[in-house]
Coordinates of all heavy atoms in Angstrom, one line a residue:
A1 N 0.8 -1.2 0.0 CA 0.0 0.0 0.0 C 0.9 1.3 0.0 O 0.5 2.3 -0.6 CB -0.9 0.0 1.2
G2 N 2.0 1.2 0.7 CA 2.8 2.4 0.9 C 4.0 2.5 -0.1 O 4.7 3.5 -0.1
S3 N 4.1 1.6 -1.0 CA 5.2 1.6 -2.0 C 4.8 1.8 -3.4 O 4.6 3.0 -3.8 CB 6.1 0.4 -1.8 OG 5.3 -0.8 -2.1
Y4 N 4.5 0.7 -4.1 CA 4.2 0.8 -5.5 C 3.0 1.7 -5.8 O 3.1 2.6 -6.7 CB 3.9 -0.6 -6.1 CG 5.1 -1.5 -6.1 CD1 5.3 -2.4 -5.0 CD2 6.1 -1.4 -7.1 CE1 6.5 -3.2 -5.0 CE2 7.3 -2.2 -7.0 CZ 7.4 -3.1 -6.0 OH 8.5 -3.9 -6.0
F5 N 1.9 1.6 -5.1 CA 0.7 2.3 -5.4 C 0.7 3.7 -4.8 O 0.2 4.7 -5.4 CB -0.5 1.5 -5.0 CG -0.7 0.2 -5.7 CD1 -0.2 -1.0 -5.1 CD2 -1.2 0.2 -7.0 CE1 -0.3 -2.2 -5.8 CE2 -1.3 -1.0 -7.7 CZ -0.9 -2.2 -7.1
A6 N 1.2 3.9 -3.6 CA 1.2 5.2 -3.0 C 2.2 6.1 -3.6 O 1.9 7.3 -3.9 CB 1.5 5.0 -1.5
E7 N 3.4 5.6 -4.0 CA 4.4 6.5 -4.5 C 4.0 7.0 -5.9 O 4.5 8.0 -6.4 CB 5.8 5.8 -4.5 CG 6.3 5.5 -3.1 CD 6.5 6.8 -2.4 OE1 6.9 7.8 -3.0 OE2 6.3 6.8 -1.1
Q8 N 3.3 6.2 -6.7 CA 2.9 6.6 -8.0 C 1.8 7.5 -8.0 O 1.4 8.1 -9.1 CB 2.6 5.3 -8.9 CG 1.3 4.6 -8.5 CD 0.9 3.6 -9.5 OE1 0.4 3.9 -10.5 NE2 1.1 2.3 -9.1
D9 N 1.1 7.7 -6.9 CA -0.1 8.6 -6.8 C 0.3 10.0 -7.2 O -0.6 10.7 -7.8 CB -0.7 8.5 -5.5 CG -2.2 8.9 -5.5 OD1 -2.9 8.4 -6.4 OD2 -2.6 9.6 -4.6
N10 N 1.5 10.5 -7.0 CA 1.9 11.8 -7.4 C 1.8 12.0 -8.9 O 1.2 13.0 -9.4 CB 3.4 12.0 -6.9 CG 3.8 13.4 -7.2 OD1 3.1 14.3 -7.4 ND2 5.1 13.6 -7.3
S11 N 2.2 11.0 -9.6 CA 2.1 11.1 -11.1 C 0.7 11.1 -11.5 O 0.3 11.8 -12.5 CB 2.8 9.9 -11.7 OG 4.2 9.9 -11.4
W12 N -0.2 10.3 -10.9 CA -1.6 10.2 -11.3 C -2.2 11.6 -11.0 O -3.1 12.0 -11.8 CB -2.3 9.1 -10.5 CG -2.1 7.8 -11.1 CD1 -1.2 6.9 -10.6 CD2 -2.7 7.2 -12.2 NE1 -1.3 5.7 -11.4 CE2 -2.2 5.9 -12.4 CE3 -3.7 7.7 -13.1 CZ2 -2.6 5.1 -13.4 CZ3 -4.1 6.8 -14.1 CH2 -3.6 5.6 -14.3
H13 N -1.9 12.3 -10.0 CA -2.5 13.6 -9.7 C -2.1 14.6 -10.7 O -2.8 15.6 -10.9 CB -2.0 14.0 -8.3 CG -2.7 13.3 -7.2 ND1 -2.5 13.6 -5.8 CD2 -3.5 12.2 -7.2 CE1 -3.2 12.8 -5.1 NE2 -3.8 11.9 -5.9
Q14 N -0.9 14.4 -11.4 CA -0.5 15.4 -12.4 C -1.2 15.2 -13.7 O -1.3 16.2 -14.5 CB 1.0 15.3 -12.5 CG 1.8 15.4 -11.3 CD 1.7 16.8 -10.7 OE1 1.5 17.8 -11.4 NE2 1.9 16.9 -9.4
V15 N -1.6 14.0 -14.0 CA -2.1 13.7 -15.4 C -3.6 13.4 -15.4 O -4.2 13.6 -16.5 CB -1.3 12.6 -16.0 CG1 0.1 12.9 -16.1 CG2 -1.5 11.3 -15.3
S16 N -4.2 12.9 -14.3 CA -5.6 12.5 -14.4 C -6.5 13.7 -14.1 O -6.1 14.7 -13.4 CB -5.9 11.4 -13.4 OG -5.7 11.8 -12.1
V17 N -7.8 13.6 -14.5 CA -8.7 14.7 -14.2 C -9.2 14.5 -12.8 O -9.9 13.5 -12.5 CB -9.9 14.6 -15.3 CG1 -10.9 15.7 -14.9 CG2 -9.4 14.8 -16.7
R18 N -8.9 15.5 -11.9 CA -9.3 15.4 -10.5 C -10.7 15.9 -10.3 O -10.9 16.8 -9.4 CB -8.3 16.1 -9.7 CG -6.9 15.4 -9.5 CD -7.1 14.1 -8.8 NE -7.5 14.3 -7.4 CZ -6.6 14.5 -6.4 NH1 -5.3 14.5 -6.7 NH2 -7.1 14.6 -5.2
D19 N -11.7 15.4 -11.0 CA -13.1 15.8 -10.7 C -13.8 14.7 -9.9 O -15.0 14.8 -9.6 CB -13.8 15.9 -12.1 CG -13.8 14.6 -12.9 OD1 -13.0 13.8 -12.6 OD2 -14.6 14.6 -13.8
T20 N -13.0 13.8 -9.4 CA -13.6 12.7 -8.5 C -12.4 12.1 -7.7 O -11.3 12.1 -8.2 CB -14.2 11.6 -9.4 OG1 -14.6 10.5 -8.5 CG2 -13.2 11.1 -10.4
P21 N -12.7 11.6 -6.5 CA -11.7 10.9 -5.7 C -11.4 9.5 -6.3 O -10.5 8.9 -5.9 CB -12.3 10.9 -4.3 CG -13.8 10.9 -4.5 CD -13.9 11.8 -5.7
F22 N -12.2 9.1 -7.2 CA -12.1 7.7 -7.8 C -11.2 7.7 -9.0 O -11.7 7.5 -10.1 CB -13.5 7.2 -8.1 CG -14.4 7.1 -6.9 CD1 -15.6 7.7 -7.0 CD2 -14.0 6.4 -5.8 CE1 -16.5 7.7 -5.9 CE2 -14.9 6.3 -4.7 CZ -16.1 7.0 -4.7
T23 N -9.9 8.0 -8.8 CA -9.0 7.9 -9.9 C -8.6 6.4 -10.1 O -8.8 5.6 -9.2 CB -7.7 8.7 -9.7 OG1 -7.0 8.2 -8.5 CG2 -8.1 10.2 -9.4
A24 N -8.0 6.1 -11.2 CA -7.6 4.7 -11.4 C -6.6 4.2 -10.4 O -6.6 3.0 -10.0 CB -6.9 4.6 -12.8
N25 N -5.8 5.1 -9.8 CA -4.9 4.6 -8.7 C -5.6 4.6 -7.4 O -5.4 3.7 -6.6 CB -3.7 5.5 -8.7 CG -2.6 4.9 -7.8 OD1 -2.1 3.8 -8.0 ND2 -2.2 5.6 -6.7
H26 N -6.4 5.6 -7.1 CA -7.1 5.6 -5.8 C -8.0 4.4 -5.6 O -8.2 3.9 -4.5 CB -8.0 6.9 -5.7 CG -7.2 8.1 -5.5 ND1 -7.7 9.4 -5.4 CD2 -5.8 8.3 -5.3 CE1 -6.8 10.3 -5.1 NE2 -5.6 9.7 -5.1
I27 N -8.7 4.0 -6.7 CA -9.6 2.8 -6.6 C -8.8 1.6 -6.1 O -9.4 0.8 -5.3 CB -10.3 2.6 -7.9 CG1 -11.3 3.7 -8.2 CG2 -10.9 1.2 -8.0 CD1 -11.9 3.6 -9.6
I28 N -7.6 1.5 -6.4 CA -6.8 0.4 -5.9 C -6.2 0.7 -4.6 O -6.2 -0.1 -3.6 CB -5.7 0.0 -6.9 CG1 -6.3 -0.5 -8.2 CG2 -4.7 -1.0 -6.3 CD1 -5.3 -0.8 -9.3
E29 N -5.6 1.9 -4.5 CA -4.8 2.3 -3.3 C -5.7 2.6 -2.1 O -5.6 1.9 -1.0 CB -4.0 3.5 -3.6 CG -3.2 4.1 -2.4 CD -2.1 3.2 -1.9 OE1 -2.0 2.0 -2.3 OE2 -1.3 3.7 -1.1
F30 N -6.6 3.5 -2.2 CA -7.4 4.0 -1.1 C -8.6 3.0 -0.8 O -9.0 2.9 0.4 CB -8.0 5.4 -1.3 CG -6.9 6.4 -1.4 CD1 -7.2 7.7 -1.9 CD2 -5.6 6.2 -0.9 CE1 -6.2 8.7 -1.9 CE2 -4.7 7.2 -0.9 CZ -5.0 8.4 -1.4
Y31 N -9.1 2.4 -1.8 CA -10.4 1.6 -1.5 C -10.2 0.1 -1.5 O -11.1 -0.6 -1.3 CB -11.4 2.0 -2.6 CG -11.7 3.5 -2.6 CD1 -11.1 4.4 -3.5 CD2 -12.5 4.1 -1.6 CE1 -11.3 5.7 -3.5 CE2 -12.7 5.5 -1.5 CZ -12.1 6.3 -2.5 OH -12.3 7.6 -2.4
F32 N -8.9 -0.3 -1.7 CA -8.6 -1.7 -1.4 C -7.4 -1.9 -0.6 O -7.5 -2.5 0.5 CB -8.4 -2.5 -2.7 CG -8.2 -4.0 -2.5 CD1 -9.2 -4.8 -2.3 CD2 -6.9 -4.4 -2.4 CE1 -9.0 -6.2 -2.0 CE2 -6.6 -5.8 -2.2 CZ -7.7 -6.7 -2.0
N33 N -6.3 -1.3 -1.0 CA -5.0 -1.6 -0.3 C -5.1 -1.1 1.2 O -4.7 -1.9 2.1 CB -3.9 -0.9 -1.0 CG -3.5 -1.5 -2.3 OD1 -4.0 -2.6 -2.7 ND2 -2.6 -0.9 -3.0
F34 N -5.6 0.1 1.4 CA -5.7 0.6 2.8 C -6.6 -0.2 3.6 O -6.3 -0.7 4.7 CB -6.0 2.1 2.8 CG -4.9 3.0 2.5 CD1 -3.8 2.5 1.8 CD2 -5.0 4.3 2.8 CE1 -2.7 3.4 1.5 CE2 -3.9 5.2 2.5 CZ -2.8 4.7 1.9
P35 N -7.9 -0.5 3.2 CA -8.8 -1.3 4.0 C -8.2 -2.7 4.2 O -8.4 -3.3 5.3 CB -10.1 -1.3 3.2 CG -10.0 -0.1 2.4 CD -8.6 0.1 2.0
F36 N -7.5 -3.3 3.2 CA -7.0 -4.6 3.3 C -5.9 -4.7 4.4 O -5.9 -5.7 5.2 CB -6.5 -5.1 2.0 CG -6.2 -6.6 2.0 CD1 -7.2 -7.5 1.9 CD2 -4.9 -7.1 2.1 CE1 -7.0 -8.9 1.9 CE2 -4.7 -8.5 2.0 CZ -5.7 -9.4 2.0
Y37 N -5.0 -3.8 4.5 CA -4.0 -3.9 5.5 C -4.6 -3.6 6.9 O -4.1 -4.2 7.9 CB -2.8 -3.0 5.2 CG -2.8 -1.6 5.5 CD1 -3.0 -1.0 6.8 CD2 -2.6 -0.6 4.5 CE1 -3.1 0.3 7.0 CE2 -2.6 0.7 4.7 CZ -2.8 1.2 6.0 OH -2.9 2.5 6.2
I38 N -5.7 -2.8 6.9 CA -6.4 -2.7 8.2 C -7.0 -4.0 8.6 O -7.0 -4.4 9.8 CB -7.5 -1.6 8.1 CG1 -6.8 -0.2 7.9 CG2 -8.4 -1.6 9.3 CD1 -7.7 0.9 7.6
L39 N -7.5 -4.7 7.6 CA -8.1 -6.1 7.9 C -7.0 -7.0 8.5 O -7.3 -7.7 9.5 CB -8.6 -6.6 6.6 CG -9.1 -8.1 6.6 CD1 -10.3 -8.3 7.5 CD2 -9.3 -8.6 5.2
M40 N -5.8 -7.0 7.9 CA -4.8 -7.9 8.3 C -4.2 -7.4 9.7 O -4.0 -8.3 10.6 CB -3.6 -7.9 7.3 CG -4.0 -8.5 6.0 SD -4.3 -10.3 6.1 CE -6.1 -10.2 6.0
G41 N -4.1 -6.1 9.9 CA -3.6 -5.6 11.2 C -4.6 -5.9 12.3 O -4.2 -6.3 13.4
G42 N -5.9 -5.7 12.0 CA -6.9 -5.9 13.0 C -7.0 -7.4 13.3 O -7.2 -7.8 14.5
S43 N -6.8 -8.3 12.3 CA -6.8 -9.7 12.6 C -5.6 -10.1 13.5 O -5.8 -11.0 14.4 CB -6.7 -10.4 11.2 OG -7.8 -10.2 10.4
A44 N -4.4 -9.6 13.3 CA -3.3 -9.9 14.1 C -3.6 -9.4 15.6 O -3.3 -10.2 16.5 CB -2.1 -9.2 13.6
W45 N -4.2 -8.3 15.8 CA -4.6 -7.8 17.1 C -5.6 -8.7 17.8 O -5.4 -9.0 18.9 CB -5.1 -6.4 17.0 CG -5.2 -5.6 18.3 CD1 -4.2 -4.8 18.8 CD2 -6.3 -5.6 19.2 NE1 -4.6 -4.3 20.0 CE2 -5.9 -4.7 20.3 CE3 -7.6 -6.1 19.2 CZ2 -6.8 -4.4 21.3 CZ3 -8.4 -5.9 20.2 CH2 -8.0 -5.0 21.3
I46 N -6.6 -9.1 17.0 CA -7.7 -10.0 17.6 C -7.1 -11.3 17.9 O -7.4 -11.9 19.0 CB -8.8 -10.1 16.6 CG1 -9.5 -8.8 16.4 CG2 -9.8 -11.2 17.1 CD1 -10.6 -8.8 15.3
Y47 N -6.2 -11.8 17.0 CA -5.6 -13.1 17.3 C -4.8 -13.1 18.6 O -4.9 -14.0 19.5 CB -4.7 -13.5 16.1 CG -4.0 -14.9 16.3 CD1 -4.6 -16.0 15.9 CD2 -2.8 -15.0 17.0 CE1 -4.0 -17.3 16.1 CE2 -2.1 -16.2 17.2 CZ -2.8 -17.4 16.8 OH -2.2 -18.6 17.0
A48 N -4.0 -12.1 18.8 CA -3.2 -12.0 20.0 C -4.0 -11.8 21.2 O -3.8 -12.5 22.3 CB -2.2 -10.8 19.9

């Protein structure tokens, strides 16, 4: 979440039309990668 997809977000902001938060990179980064690592982190906490 914090490497390949987050670091390329700068480039997407420069070239994509920012009329929506749903850019091609945000749809993967913000709406899957971030919730998914929260899922994994929360699972580790609950397991412990």
Side-chain angles (χ1 to χ4, degrees):
S3 58
Y4 294 98
F5 296 99
E7 293 301 324
Q8 67 170 285
D9 205 42
N10 184 21
S11 299
W12 281 99
H13 287 188
Q14 303 296 331
V15 300
S16 62
V17 178
R18 286 296 295 271
D19 60 345
T20 174
F22 301 122
T23 65
N25 191 59
H26 285 178
I27 286 173
I28 295 174
E29 174 69 349
F30 291 166
Y31 302 102
F32 181 84
N33 289 356
F34 281 19
F36 191 77
Y37 78 62
I38 291 170
L39 171 68
M40 294 295 103
S43 297
W45 194 90
I46 295 171
Y47 180 90

